[in-house]
Amino acid sequence: MAALLGSGAPTHRVQVSQEKSSFRPGVRSLWGVLLVVLVHKQYLEKMQIKSFAYFTIKDRLPQILTRVIDTLHRHKNEFFEEHGEKGVEAEKRAISFLSKLRNELQTDKPVTPLEDELPDAALWNQYLDYQRNLPNGSGEPSWFQSPWLYVECYMYRRIHAALAQNPPIDNFDVFKEGKAQNFFESQEAIIALCTYFQELLKNIKDLDEKQLQEELFKLLQVSLWGNKCDLSFSAGEDSSQKSSPLQSLENMIPYILVNDMEKVWSLLVNAKKNRTERSNIRVDIILDNAGFELVSDLVLADFLLSSKLADEVYFHGKSIPWYVSDTTKHDFNWTIKQLGSANHMWMSRCGINWEGNLKKGVWVFHDHMFWTLPHDFSSMSEVAPDLYAELQKSNLLLFKGDLNYRKLTGDRKWEYSFPFHQALNKFHPAPLCSLRTLKSDTQVGLKPGQGEQIQASEPEWMGEFILIFRHLIELQKLEIQSRKPK
């Protein structure tokens, strides 16, 4: 039996069986596509008060809501200047909505249906109906007696509703300031990374295969460590990258627990060798955080093109502001424009080149509402078949971050040694790799006894370990796991 980690309550945890239930909570036609919500059987049991899920619901989420309310307060004059009294009234309504939401959370009120008419509302409400009908559940889901992943996603969806239902401020991103601050406070690291990369490009055509492999490994690790910069994990506090991670890679090598990066390399090299005139090598990056992490992802993507390991890169971001620092289309375009207009020569060169990649169509940005639903990825083929079909076109999927990892593995409390490819629960649209800084308890794919040994030696290992998992559609399991040094 595998437990769904952090069912989100001070007194409860949700457990999930490894087999699918025959229960299907809803079938609805949306945008002409048949959508079916597929979920797993769950039942409740006692959860430790000291769990990270409890800390998140009790402390981190109310802190994030308080910061959102404060952000709206501070922009009151801006709303008045742009929209007059209508803007001020909208701000008041949004704050009232959010204050009520915070109270519901802190007092463990029942989770209520979404009342807006946004395109995803029906799917959210179907998912709530499913939670209400759990055979071993308490009947009415509440903030502290529901799956952690569900209520955490639900909070961000309610934040979006607070703005979306209150024009003319409905397009205001309450997390925009924090994301911009992370970018600007990471300038030293961004300059170092852009400088390194532009120097690399001068000689990239002269590099032999071994040298290209070494550079890929470096940039994979930079993208990996960049995932530390997560504002939702720090509840909005500064999480910028203060120095170049390139300087630390050598020191981090002893902390790598399992390393199979060579198999990632092999897949890309084999795809390159087998490429035909009519076929392109496509890599998809499912983005996580804006700021330094996004820049590290863009550098990796540019390297893949420049080294001819890929012909095109598709980026997948969020369609609404999400988890404080997740990347939206605005964040993606804003970051490239900021780099292009920078005073530093190599930052500017990167931004200009990346703008060109978008114009040429070798870089493409997509967003889809599925990324901001509560469902794990094993249900994508049923809930969002159009997105699943799009991912099937890829030669390699790179999933960034902890939230994507939780949704890949169903957010269950698996045994540490449970095989990663089995935790994916038949989700394999294409070969995939997850690059993740550990920020939650869900963990699979370790050697027998490895996780328990770490837990015994370092009980506060949250955020100290980094993991890369790669999964081939042939169900080969490839893993890279590294640990942050003290």
Side-chain angles (χ1 to χ4, degrees), residues 236-410:
E237 296 289 346
D238 176 32
S239 66
S240 56
Q241 180 71 37
K242 300 298 186 184
S243 60
S244 171
L246 287 160
Q247 300 172 354
S248 307
L249 294 183
E250 193 69 29
N251 295 333
M252 292 174 180
I253 290 177
Y255 294 89
I256 295 177
L257 302 178
V258 182
N259 190 335
D260 270 334
M261 276 193 296
E262 289 188 3
K263 295 180 181 178
V264 177
W265 164 260
S266 295
L267 180 137
L268 292 172
V269 169
N270 289 335
K272 181 178 179 180
K273 290 178 179 177
N274 296 325
R275 176 174 46 194
T276 65
E277 291 183 2
R278 295 184 178 182
S279 66
N280 282 337
I281 301 173
R282 168 172 160 175
V283 174
D284 288 55
I285 302 178
I286 293 80
L287 299 169
D288 190 14
N289 298 297
F292 176 79
E293 182 179 358
L294 175 59
V295 176
S296 71
D297 297 337
L298 296 173
V299 168
L300 174 62
D302 196 350
F303 173 80
L304 292 172
L305 292 184
S306 301
S307 62
K308 309 299 183 184
L309 290 171
D311 300 302
E312 53 188 0
V313 178
Y314 281 64
F315 300 90
H316 300 266
K318 304 302 192 298
S319 56
I320 61 176
W322 196 249
Y323 272 67
V324 184
S325 52
D326 280 19
T327 304
T328 64
K329 184 175 183 179
H330 174 271
D331 300 325
F332 186 86
N333 292 331
W334 179 89
T335 299
I336 292 176
K337 281 182 168 47
Q338 287 294 320
L339 290 166
S341 60
N343 292 326
H344 190 276
M345 177 174 61
W346 296 133
M347 285 178 67
S348 177
R349 178 72 60 83
C350 283
I352 292 170
N353 288 348
W354 297 345
E355 192 87 50
N357 287 342
L358 290 169
K359 290 178 180 177
K360 288 184 289 187
V362 293
W363 278 11
V364 179
F365 182 92
H366 278 176
D367 54 29
H368 194 286
M369 75 173 187
F370 181 82
W371 303 120
T372 53
L373 289 175
H375 305 71
D376 64 55
F377 294 160
S378 66
S379 61
M380 183 190 294
S381 61
E382 297 289 343
V383 177
D386 57 329
L387 177 59
Y388 193 87
E390 185 64 32
L391 297 183
Q392 286 181 308
K393 301 174 185 177
S394 184
N395 294 88
L396 176 64
L397 306 173
L398 296 176
F399 285 87
K400 293 298 306 290
D402 196 67
L403 178 59
N404 280 326
Y405 182 88
R406 291 167 68 188
K407 289 189 171 187
L408 281 168
T409 60

Side-chain angles (χ1 to χ4, degrees), residues 454-462:
I454 298 169
Q455 184 72 44
S457 62
E458 300 187 47
E460 302 297 328
W461 68 324
M462 194 66 56

Side-chain angles (χ1 to χ4, degrees), residues 81-207:
E81 291 172 3
E82 292 185 10
H83 309 293
E85 287 298 329
K86 289 184 178 180
V88 175
E89 290 303 315
E91 176 249 359
K92 290 179 180 178
R93 291 192 302 271
I95 287 177
S96 176
F97 184 102
L98 293 167
S99 298
K100 181 176 179 291
L101 175 62
R102 183 175 57 184
N103 178 262
E104 291 174 7
L105 188 162
Q106 292 178 313
T107 56
D108 193 25
K109 291 291 191 298
V111 176
T112 58
L114 298 179
E115 297 179 351
D116 57 68
E117 297 182 356
L118 297 176
D120 60 348
L123 284 171
W124 275 96
N125 291 338
Q126 289 170 18
Y127 201 87
L128 174 57
D129 287 340
Y130 162 70
Q131 293 292 329
R132 287 170 170 164
N133 288 285
L134 287 175
N136 296 297
S138 58
E140 194 67 28
S142 67
W143 285 89
F144 286 98
Q145 299 185 57
S146 299
W148 168 23
L149 181 61
Y150 168 51
V151 292
E152 193 171 17
C153 290
Y154 176 79
M155 184 196 76
Y156 287 103
R157 179 55 175 78
R158 288 279 300 273
I159 291 174
H160 176 61
L163 279 297
Q165 291 180 285
N166 286 296
I169 65 169
D170 46 322
N171 290 321
F172 182 75
D173 182 352
V174 293
F175 303 127
K176 180 174 65 175
E177 287 181 341
K179 289 181 281 191
Q181 182 180 356
N182 178 282
F183 175 85
F184 289 122
E185 292 185 353
S186 300
Q187 289 294 289
E188 181 181 341
I190 292 173
I191 288 172
L193 183 56
C194 290
T195 300
Y196 177 85
F197 182 62
Q198 289 300 322
E199 293 292 342
L200 172 63
L201 288 183
K202 292 179 181 178
N203 304 309
I204 195 166
K205 292 182 180 179
D206 300 323
L207 299 183

Side-chain angles (χ1 to χ4, degrees), residues 27-39:
V27 179
R28 181 181 178 85
S29 179
L30 181 61
W31 297 340
V33 178
L34 185 65
L35 301 181
V36 183
V37 181
L38 293 178
V39 287

